Amino acid sequence: MATWKKVVVSGSNISQLNNDAGYLTSVTTQNAFATASYDGTLLLANGANGNLTFASSSGQGLTISASAGTDTLTFGLSLIPNVSLANSSITIAGNATSLGGSVTQAQIFAGSTAISSSVLTSPTQGEALLTNNGVAGSTIDLGLQTTDSPTFVGLTLTGNLVVLGTASFQNTQNLLVGDRFVLFASGSNTTGDGGIVVQQGTQNIGELYGYDSGTTRWGFTSSFNATGNSFVPAVYAGAVETSAVAPSAAPIYGGASNGFGTIHVEILTGDIFIYA
């Protein structure tokens, strides 16, 4: 059912309404803060304005946040600027550098005794010389000079081994030689005796099987001293010659004078001859 309603226009008093109980009917100007100061400095230039503003300088690390719901201000410190520190720089190798800055390698090594280059050379055989930053040190003797007598546990040579003095080989194991032929007295340019001595109980003394250049025959002797350079055979080694005919010339080894005991076999007939 339609009824009459009162129209309220701008400027009307709220008391004209029937249900105006409990409503704020008038407001007077109020200051939000009576006073505000920090360390003796008045922050409210004019208390009548009721304005209080918090600000943080840009980049200084102080953060301010406000919450209207809880009426709180929150202050935070995310970082401390270098300029705000009592010591905002450090000194490295005499160079002042701000915190967070960098120092080059040249600045660190400038005026220092750090090694920038070194060269190791060998002035002469068996010596070593270390040069640092162009300054040569003392020569070090490695014990491998021409007058030294070094000892090695093992030695492998890829080139030739030339022995100008006496070569002594001491080995309690069997000697394995890969060569099919062994040359003795290779340094001599004249004929002479030579052979193999098997030592028997006394150093350098043993049984000899050798070649007697005087008789041009191979022979044996006992109690031979291996330091000698000639020998006289106690007995000669037997030699056997063969041909298709009966022998007529002197034996190859020993000849007519020392070829006694040589055996000759005529292979066509099977006849055996002995030179005596």
Side-chain angles (χ1 to χ4, degrees):
M1 179 177 180
T3 59
W4 290 99
K5 277 78 174 179
K6 181 182 288 186
V7 177
V8 179
V9 298
S10 176
S12 299
N13 195 303
I14 195 172
S15 60
Q16 299 179 21
L17 302 176
N18 293 330
N19 57 348
D20 61 355
Y23 284 88
L24 182 64
T25 58
S26 64
V27 178
T28 59
T29 303
Q30 301 292 327
N31 290 329
F33 301 94
T35 60
S37 64
Y38 173 74
D39 198 20
T41 300
L42 184 63
L43 300 179
L44 298 180
N46 185 355
N49 293 333
N51 295 327
L52 180 60
T53 302
F54 293 89
S56 175
S57 300
S58 175
Q60 297 305 303
L62 178 64
T63 60
I64 303 175
S65 61
S67 174
T70 58
D71 295 331
T72 58
L73 291 174
T74 303
F75 298 85
L77 188 62
S78 61
L79 55 87
I80 301 176
N82 291 344
V83 295
S84 300
L85 300 176
N87 296 312
S88 60
S89 64
I90 58 176
T91 301
I92 301 177
N95 297 284
T97 304
S98 61
L99 296 179
S102 61
V103 180
T104 64
Q105 182 183 33
Q107 290 175 324
I108 295 177
F109 289 138
S112 67
T113 57
I115 298 176
S116 61
S117 63
S118 60
V119 179
L120 182 63
T121 58
S122 179
T124 59
Q125 177 180 318
E127 293 183 341
L129 176 63
L130 181 62
T131 302
N132 291 327
N133 297 331
V135 179
S138 300
T139 301
I140 301 175
D141 185 358
L142 302 178
L144 297 174
Q145 299 187 51
T146 56
T147 56
D148 294 326
S149 299
T151 301
F152 301 98
V153 175
L155 178 63
T156 301
L157 296 178
T158 57
N160 298 326
L161 176 63
V162 178
V163 179
L164 300 180
T166 301
S168 300
F169 300 91
Q170 298 179 358
N171 197 328
T172 58
Q173 299 180 3
N174 295 333
L175 175 64
L176 303 179
V177 180
D179 297 328
R180 295 183 181 275
F181 300 96
V182 179
L183 177 63
F184 294 98
S186 62
S188 64
N189 53 11
T190 60
T191 59
D193 298 350
I196 300 174
V197 180
V198 180
Q199 182 172 296
Q200 300 294 318
T202 303
Q203 181 65 39
N204 296 331
I205 305 299
E207 303 298 317
L208 167 67
Y209 172 65
Y211 178 77
D212 179 17
S213 64
T215 61
T216 65
R217 292 194 66 172
W218 290 88
F220 298 89
T221 191
S222 180
S223 301
F224 178 76
N225 192 328
T227 60
N229 53 21
S230 64
F231 84 108
V232 176
V235 295
Y236 291 104
V240 179
E241 299 179 356
T242 62
S243 68
V245 296
S248 59
I252 298 174
Y253 283 97
S257 300
N258 300 289
F260 306 107
T262 302
I263 297 175
H264 185 101
V265 178
E266 184 181 350
I267 58 177
L268 294 180
T269 63
D271 294 338
I272 299 175
F273 303 84
I274 187 168
Y275 192 81

